[in-house]
Amino acid sequence: MVAANQKGGVGKTATLVHLAFDALERGLRVGVVDLDTQANASWTLKEFASGYTASQMFDQSSDEVRAWFNGEVTDEPCIRLVESDAKLANMETKKLAEVGATFRSNIAALADSGFDMILIDTAPSLGVGLAAALIAADFVLSPIELETYSIQGIQKMVTAIANVRQANPKLQFLGMVPSKVDARNPRHGRHLQELEAAYPQLMIPERVGLRSSIADALASGVPVWKIRKTAARKAAKEVRALANYVFNKMEIA
């Protein structure tokens, strides 16, 4: 599953990281591939680093991927991070035809290594890395902030996903999840209504509020339900509800 939005700061990485933590507690073996040069997911999940880098997913063979992860994934629940690295920036100078097939093959090799699911974080741009991720994926999820710039960009995101389906017919759009929602902000309420009217089939029914405890969790490398604050309980409930929705749609126990 790919987390994608061309607008930065919308809660994309926070969503993906918490899906990984939730899946781990469900007893699953989770691979996380960080294709964002900002490396925020890599920072939060650094204790789970596999030693393999994201740029290697574009320039090494599937046999090399299998060889690296042979023995890395056992029957035990785990998270294994393929971390962002500086060489990822070079991918955007290449043509999708050069790297897309290689990345798709290497994601398949990761799956063959024993992971129950693979989560891919992407940069906030409609570039080669995002296109390659969408070509390789089964599902895509788009966290969206209820602000004007984020909403303006979502049509391009929806169009990009539709275009990629020509190369990857199996790709399913799980939908958009409102993130960093401020229930006291009338603008957020108005924008949410506009989105639900414009995309009634694409809006995920769950919401994640504007919670400082989520930022605390990301900085500490733990899920929000391990933050000892009263406000974290509400955030944990929202994130858990989103995970249940997403995993049910993906048919993952």
Side-chain angles (χ1 to χ4, degrees), residues 68-147:
W68 186 277
F69 286 92
N70 182 32
E72 276 278 309
V73 186
T74 65
D75 291 336
E76 297 297 317
C78 67
I79 295 175
R80 292 289 182 269
L81 169 68
V82 177
E83 59 193 310
S84 171
D85 62 311
K87 290 183 180 179
L88 263 182
N90 298 333
M91 295 305 107
E92 295 304 319
T93 66
K94 298 183 178 181
K95 294 181 179 180
L96 181 59
E98 291 181 53
V99 297
T102 299
F103 185 75
R104 177 160 56 180
S105 176
N106 286 341
I107 287 294
L110 270 186
D112 291 343
S113 299
F115 289 110
D116 297 304
M117 66 184 305
I118 296 168
L119 302 174
I120 306 173
D121 201 13
T122 57
S125 64
L126 296 174
V128 172
L130 173 56
L134 293 175
I135 286 173
D138 299 301
F139 302 93
V140 55
L141 174 71
S142 290
I144 179 170
E145 192 177 15
L146 297 175
E147 296 292 358

Side-chain angles (χ1 to χ4, degrees), residues 144 146-148 151-152 154 176 186-200 203 207:
I144 179 170
L146 297 175
E147 296 292 358
T148 301
I151 293 171
Q152 286 176 343
I154 200 62
M176 296 176 271
R187 185 175 66 255
H188 280 200
R190 184 173 67 254
H191 286 167
L192 181 58
Q193 290 179 346
E194 291 171 358
L195 283 168
E196 289 174 337
Y199 304 102
M203 294 299 295
R207 311 280 181 267

